[in-house]
Amino acid sequence: MERSSYGEDPRLILELRSHYPAERTRYITLPPLSWAEARASMLSNLPFAQAARLFLASGGSPGHLRELLAVPHNGTEMPLPQRVRAQVQLESRMLSLEARLALERLSVHPGPYSQGLLDALEATPYLDELERRGWLIYAGQWQFSDDASRRVLYLGLQPGRRQQYHRQAALQCAMEEQRMAEAYHRLMAGDTADWGTFVNTLPGWTRYGLKAWLGMHENLPMGPSTGEAARGSELALLEEARFGQGFEVEGRHVRWMRTPSMSSASGIIWAAHDEPSLLHLKGNAYVENPLGVGISGRAAPLMLEIQEPREARIIFLPGIQAGALADNALLLPLQEELDVWFRVPAGASIRLTSSAESGLIDLEVTSYRVAPPPLAQSAPRVEVFEFFRSAVEAARKS
């Protein structure tokens, strides 16, 4: 039986409690489905992007997922099954009318709330009730306990109220100089904006990521440095640390299931090898970052970094053209199917992270030796990206 996280227990459970003493009754609470469990069962016959989209919308709830699978999809908007809408509406009836309306206002913002935003959306007086009923949690900032419920509440808003609430949020974000969040809420409210002027004021990779999302492509200052390498035997990747929410490791596989409540990066650090190596990333990625770079403007969907002791980073962004921002900063397109190789200098530790505000990334990560000259001729050859342009150019000149 699926129980509500917010309201009262179902009638059947109340009846059982009235007939059986507590010492003879045992309740087992099951967690939501993991991505691996859902992919192996309910979502096994779907393409990765569609399966990931449904999983993120459901939050891993088997009942919600069943309802989503039962309704037709037009490929653009996520449907809102009537049974799911009715269930969330019924649960929200346990709240006072004022708290329920505050919760609907909060649903327009997909992320943690500043105190100013709580005030602007007139939710501050109802925080105690919303926390007590399980709708909101506090983790440094207030946020929805379950983003799937926030989505349902948001999709249930009438267009006029949705537009009004987005404008309230945009005004507050402007006062707080949260420019990317302001742009998101103005866009969702249907307001016009001078995107050309706005994006050109943004720094670094954020500008290129937003331009790609808007279809305003801009060539990077330099092209990527690539080369060819002979692949040798496999090297073990030794984990030094893993951190952050929504991240798991299973053998060679690393997986991120990111939701808007996760405001910091999550990922893994591998120890350095004392010889040059080749790193292979292969798998799938589906990201729903607002504006492509998130309402924070810093939500890099996937970032690969090395430190040897020189630092270099590679940022993957949807829709972007491959290129380099600097000698040690490369931007690559984040495609649904990833299959990319990198040459890692000797002594460089590897850090792989995601800061996506909403997304699902499932990768197999492997490391190989560079084949020594006597074996290079017969070894498989792969196209690799280089972390440092200057080193490649110097090698070519020599």
Side-chain angles (χ1 to χ4, degrees):
M1 168 170 288
E2 294 180 44
R3 299 177 61 188
S4 165
S5 300
Y6 313 112
E8 302 296 331
D9 283 332
R11 182 174 297 176
L12 176 58
I13 291 181
L14 296 175
E15 288 287 334
L16 290 171
R17 279 180 171 163
S18 69
H19 286 84
Y20 295 95
E23 61 270 16
R24 294 180 57 192
T25 309
R26 185 182 177 195
Y27 296 91
I28 300 174
T29 302
L30 299 177
L33 292 175
S34 68
W35 164 248
E37 291 169 335
R39 190 65 171 141
S41 55
M42 303 174 75
L43 301 175
S44 60
N45 296 324
L46 297 179
F48 179 87
Q50 185 180 354
R53 188 179 181 214
L54 292 174
F55 184 80
L56 289 171
S58 71
S61 163
H64 193 159
L65 200 50
R66 273 194 299 271
E67 294 298 326
L68 285 172
L69 287 167
V71 297
H73 293 227
N74 60 16
T76 54
E77 292 187 4
M78 177 64 66
L80 178 56
Q82 290 302 312
R83 188 174 297 179
V84 172
R85 182 204 298 262
Q87 180 184 2
V88 173
Q89 287 179 340
L90 179 62
E91 292 171 345
S92 67
R93 298 288 181 203
M94 304 295 177
L95 297 168
S96 66
L97 175 61
E98 294 81 5
R100 186 165 74 247
L101 293 175
L103 196 66
E104 292 178 355
R105 290 191 291 270
L106 290 174
S107 73
V108 301
H109 186 75
Y113 305 96
S114 67
Q115 185 56 55
L117 194 53
L118 290 169
D119 292 340
L121 294 173
E122 304 170 71
T124 302
Y126 313 106
L127 293 176
D128 182 67
E129 181 180 354
L130 293 173
E131 181 184 27
R132 189 172 63 253
R133 287 292 187 177
W135 291 92
L136 297 184
I137 58 172
Y138 184 80
Q141 287 183 300
W142 289 99
Q143 58 198 37
F144 267 81
S145 62
D146 175 46
D147 191 63
S149 296
R150 182 200 65 79
R151 292 177 186 230
V152 173
L153 288 166
Y154 178 74
L155 291 174
L157 290 175
Q158 293 299 313
R161 286 203 295 154
R162 187 183 301 179
Q163 186 179 55
Q164 176 192 350
Y165 300 158
H166 274 300
R167 284 182 175 151
Q168 287 177 242
L171 181 60
Q172 179 60 34
C173 291
M175 294 173 62
E176 296 179 4
E177 297 185 349
Q178 299 292 331
R179 299 168 63 202
M180 195 66 68
E182 177 196 357
Y184 167 76
H185 285 294
R186 293 207 182 280
L187 177 69
M188 298 305 289
D191 295 341
T192 57
D194 183 357
W195 288 104
T197 301
F198 175 67
V199 296
N200 287 325
T201 64
L202 298 173
W205 63 266
T206 303
R207 179 172 82 249
Y208 292 95
L210 179 55
K211 279 195 168 185
W213 187 83
L214 292 168
M216 304 163 57
H217 293 286
E218 176 185 355
N219 292 328
L220 278 94
M222 299 169 281
S225 290
T226 58
E228 191 177 75
R231 193 195 78 195
S233 58
E234 187 171 349
L235 278 170
L237 284 167
L238 301 179
E239 179 181 334
E240 280 193 340
R242 71 179 75 171
F243 51 91
Q245 297 176 293
F247 175 70
E248 63 183 24
V249 181
E250 184 181 343
R252 297 176 175 178
H253 290 267
V254 292
R255 300 187 185 96
W256 289 266
M257 207 286 283
R258 301 279 303 180
T259 62
S261 64
M262 300 172 189
S263 55
S264 58
S266 55
I268 189 169
I269 299 174
W270 288 292
H273 292 126
D274 56 6
E275 60 182 298
S277 60
L278 304 176
L279 186 72
H280 187 205
L281 304 184
K282 184 176 182 179
N284 300 91
Y286 174 79
V287 174
E288 295 180 336
N289 268 350
L291 306 180
V293 294
I295 57 175
S296 66
R298 302 182 301 274
L302 189 66
M303 184 182 296
L304 175 64
E305 300 170 276
I306 62 168
Q307 187 170 6
E308 52 107 22
R310 281 185 73 193
E311 294 182 357
R313 65 177 52 181
I314 296 173
I315 300 174
F316 294 81
L317 295 167
I320 205 159
Q321 301 292 325
L325 281 172
D327 176 57
N328 62 342
L330 186 65
L331 301 186
L332 293 180
L334 181 70
Q335 300 169 330
E336 181 185 331
E337 294 187 11
L338 280 178
D339 189 353
V340 286
W341 290 82
F342 304 93
R343 193 196 309 268
V344 180
S349 60
I350 302 168
R351 175 185 170 104
L352 186 63
T353 61
S354 175
S355 299
E357 290 176 358
S358 181
L360 209 156
I361 302 172
D362 191 341
L363 299 177
E364 181 183 16
V365 184
T366 46
S367 180
Y368 296 85
R369 288 186 170 88
V370 178
L375 302 176
Q377 205 163 21
S378 59
R381 305 194 74 82
V382 293
E383 290 290 326
V384 297
F385 287 99
E386 308 281 358
F387 279 92
F388 298 103
R389 286 181 54 84
S390 56
V392 177
E393 291 171 1
R396 285 173 180 167
K397 288 177 182 178
S398 64

